[in-house]
Amino acid sequence: MKNLKSKLTKSLLSYHPEVINYDEFKHSAIFLPLVNINDRWSLLFEKRTKQIAQGGEICFPGGRVEKSETKNPILTAIRETTEELGVTPSQIKIIDRLPRLITPDGKLIDAYIGTLEIDSLASLHLNSSEVAKVFAIPLEDLVCSKMHKYVIKSENFSASSPEDEMENLLPVEKLGLPDRYIGSWGEKEYNVYYFEYDKEKIWGLTARYAKYISDLMRK
């Protein structure tokens, strides 16, 4: 028993994820770059190329957290930014970590905000296989942007009987669990934000983080 307690204590003092079911999520990290263009602080956005996942949509630099980066996803945000925008790590100055986001489709997002030290957007060396273009929204324009809110609903289910076709659903009757857990476990509402800037449509987690920054500046 003493050895087990010692092992537990050692494990508790070592790294463990902030989310207990971490392995059930697709983990990504993004960077929100602030750029000073013509003496105006702006938030930089990317537009994805057509041939990659979520092609043609607006996003921030970022990507999937590698296993070696799990303990420090800021490394992912910096790595992806350098790869996508063609900058060096020394040009990235992290200001702070933003609140973690969990999306309804099972994604865990770590986000960081900081400055990107460039003279102009034209000085970037974009990765043409991933980034179609970049643009920047001045912070004063971001604050004034009209943010629309919509709602999507997701529903959770368990199996009503062992004969249900869907695999791996919780077999409530088979396990002898209370009948109240048979079928639907209820709906979950999730807000989706959307706004436009210079004819670009910005929505989803990108708009949510843009809204978070905009809300901070209004306080």
Side-chain angles (χ1 to χ4, degrees):
M1 183 62 69
K2 183 178 179 181
N3 289 338
L4 287 176
K5 181 178 181 296
S6 176
K7 183 177 180 180
L8 175 60
T9 301
K10 183 178 179 180
S11 296
L12 290 172
L13 292 175
S14 65
Y15 170 80
H16 50 89
E18 297 175 17
V19 179
I20 197 168
N21 57 339
Y22 169 85
D23 291 338
E24 297 175 18
F25 294 92
K26 296 177 181 178
H27 189 189
S28 298
I30 62 174
F31 176 57
L32 279 63
L34 295 170
V35 294
N36 191 350
I37 306 295
N38 299 324
D39 291 325
R40 299 179 77 190
W41 282 104
S42 306
L43 188 58
L44 183 145
F45 296 78
E46 295 179 355
K47 187 168 188 174
R48 297 171 182 265
T49 55
K50 294 287 188 181
Q51 65 268 24
I52 65 173
Q54 298 175 296
E57 296 187 22
I58 306 302
C59 65
F60 293 113
R64 188 75 176 264
V65 174
E66 302 290 346
K67 191 172 183 179
S68 61
E69 299 165 337
T70 299
K71 295 181 181 180
N72 200 1
I74 192 173
L75 297 177
T76 304
I78 293 174
R79 173 177 56 78
E80 291 285 348
T81 301
T82 60
E83 293 175 359
E84 294 172 15
L85 300 183
V87 296
T88 64
S90 62
Q91 291 174 272
I92 300 170
K93 307 296 182 186
I94 301 294
I95 295 174
D96 204 355
R97 177 180 177 176
L98 299 176
R100 176 172 270 183
L101 174 67
I102 296 177
T103 67
D105 58 343
K107 293 183 178 67
L108 182 69
I109 311 295
D110 277 301
Y112 302 86
I113 188 169
T115 60
L116 186 61
E117 297 184 355
I118 58 173
D119 295 325
S120 68
L121 299 184
S123 68
L124 297 171
H125 302 283
L126 304 182
N127 182 342
S128 60
S129 65
E130 296 184 35
V131 184
K133 73 172 189 176
V134 296
F135 61 94
I137 303 180
L139 294 181
E140 57 265 33
D141 290 350
L142 185 64
V143 171
C144 296
S145 295
K146 185 177 181 181
M147 195 76 62
H148 302 273
K149 184 177 76 170
Y150 302 95
V151 174
I152 60 172
K153 292 184 177 181
S154 60
E155 192 167 9
N156 299 317
F157 287 92
S158 67
S160 59
S161 70
E163 290 74 32
D164 276 352
E165 294 180 2
M166 298 180 68
E167 294 183 4
N168 298 322
L169 288 181
L170 180 68
V172 174
E173 290 183 349
K174 181 180 178 180
L175 297 177
L177 300 177
D179 289 347
R180 62 178 174 272
Y181 296 116
I182 294 175
S184 173
W185 282 30
E187 290 183 338
K188 171 73 171 68
E189 290 192 353
Y190 184 84
N191 294 330
V192 177
Y193 295 95
Y194 171 96
F195 71 104
E196 293 186 15
Y197 183 82
D198 196 22
K199 298 183 180 180
E200 296 291 354
K201 304 176 190 299
I202 305 167
W203 71 290
L205 73 87
T206 305
R208 182 178 282 270
Y209 272 112
K211 179 182 182 300
Y212 180 80
I213 299 302
S214 177
D215 290 344
L216 284 179
M217 290 187 294
R218 290 193 184 96
K219 291 183 178 179

